[in-house]
Amino acid sequence: MLMTTSNDHSGNQFDEEYYSSDSYTNYLQEHDQTAEREVIAPLLSAISPEEDWTFLDVGCAMGGTLIALKRRGYSCKGTEISPYCLKHSPVKKDMVHGTSTNIPFDDNSFDVVLNCGVFEYLTCQEAMQSIDELIRVAKRYVSLWVFSPNSDDWSQQENPDIHRMADTQKLTYEDYKKRIEQNGATIKTFFRIEDTPSRTAPEWHFLIAKT
Ligand SMILES: C[S@@+](CC[C@H](N)C(=O)[O-])C[C@H]1O[C@@H](n2cnc3c(N)ncnc32)[C@H](O)[C@@H]1O
């Protein structure tokens, strides 16, 4: 199977078939439980948010994270490029079209901004622009989860996905750190695959604090 060599920004590739096959076989049935267990519960225990904090998930797919946050009473929104997700998500009224390189919100709009499992579809240049954008729209924290360079998940045998690119596999911890700090932010915590119990989510977890 060949990897995609350029990012198709139409989002049409992230369709019902994509969300029903390979590692996403049960995604449409389980996305809210998975987001609750793997993303939201660990994030909230790390940041202990106040009741009035607001959240944005950039590349939120079917919006499982939004469902988990709304269940707790938090105000939240998501962005997506996938027409399928924007049309069929159970929380589509809380979602807008927007790429991670051009997030359609003002500076400091949300207390916490999430981005999980999106960078593997971007070029390195787009990933760096996305870091600028994620930090720009955040007031306090950015939770950024990416595949680590050595992750098995890059392998088309281990984790088949013809739309994933190989470009951001080149990015090192130092590349991320430098770009984060150029934006006046700092890495508050960093988890690598060795420290992370789940093997189903991207393996480098940056919790970025805006200073
Ligand atoms: C592997 S899924 C991850 C979905 C979700 N964040 C999660 O962790 O389950 C990748 C998602 O990123 C979205 N995506 C891809 N390129 C994007 C971009 N440039 N900006 C925003 N979202 C993008 C896709 O539409 C897709 O829903």
Side-chain angles (χ1 to χ4, degrees):
M1 230 184 266
L2 289 175
M3 284 194 188
T4 309
T5 52
S6 67
N7 190 5
D8 171 2
H9 293 284
S10 72
N12 288 326
Q13 68 275 43
F14 300 104
D15 58 7
E16 184 170 11
E17 188 189 344
Y18 171 83
Y19 282 112
S20 312
S21 54
D22 298 325
S23 61
Y24 271 113
T25 303
N26 300 316
Y27 178 78
L28 293 176
Q29 293 76 40
E30 297 175 359
H31 64 91
D32 53 341
Q33 298 101 299
T34 308
E36 165 67 40
R37 186 180 62 247
E38 295 184 3
V39 183
I40 295 303
L43 174 63
L44 298 192
S45 89
I47 62 174
S48 303
E50 306 283 330
E51 280 176 15
D52 62 350
W53 284 18
T54 56
F55 292 77
L56 174 71
D57 187 359
V58 175
C60 67
M62 292 297 276
T65 52
L66 309 188
I67 294 169
L69 288 164
K70 285 160 74 78
R71 198 182 291 133
R72 291 169 167 87
Y74 287 111
S75 169
C76 52
K77 292 202 180 302
T79 77
E80 250 305 325
I81 61 166
S82 156
Y84 176 79
C85 293
L86 289 163
K87 184 166 179 197
H88 295 285
S89 164
V91 286
K92 63 184 178 188
K93 68 176 185 0
D94 297 305
M95 292 168 54
V96 294
H97 180 272
T99 71
S100 56
T101 50
N102 188 11
I103 301 173
F105 292 102
D106 293 338
D107 299 0
N108 308 309
S109 290
F110 297 89
D111 291 285
V112 185
V113 176
L114 292 77
N115 185 260
C116 177
V118 174
F119 276 22
E120 64 265 28
Y121 301 95
L122 307 182
T123 63
C124 291
Q125 188 185 8
E126 289 166 340
M128 292 296 119
Q129 286 170 0
S130 299
I131 289 174
D132 302 345
E133 279 290 276
L134 294 165
I135 294 172
R136 179 184 67 76
V137 297
K139 215 183 290 177
R140 300 172 193 272
Y141 291 116
V142 174
S143 173
L144 173 64
W145 291 15
V146 300
F147 285 3
S148 62
N150 298 323
S151 170
D152 293 343
D153 284 327
W154 287 106
S155 154
Q156 292 292 345
Q157 281 73 44
E158 294 287 330
N159 181 8
D161 180 346
I162 58 168
H163 303 301
R164 193 172 57 233
M165 303 174 66
D167 210 34
T168 57
Q169 188 173 13
K170 295 186 284 220
L171 292 175
T172 65
Y173 174 84
E174 287 305 322
D175 293 328
Y176 285 103
K177 182 170 184 286
K178 186 172 167 198
R179 192 66 171 223
I180 289 164
E181 290 179 352
Q182 280 173 353
N183 280 281
T186 53
I187 298 171
K188 181 175 160 65
T189 59
F190 174 61
F191 291 97
R192 298 166 302 146
I193 183 168
E194 296 90 323
D195 312 318
T196 308
S198 167
R199 291 287 291 108
T200 57
E203 287 92 354
W204 274 2
H205 298 183
F206 294 91
L207 180 59
I208 299 164
K210 240 177 131 169
T211 46

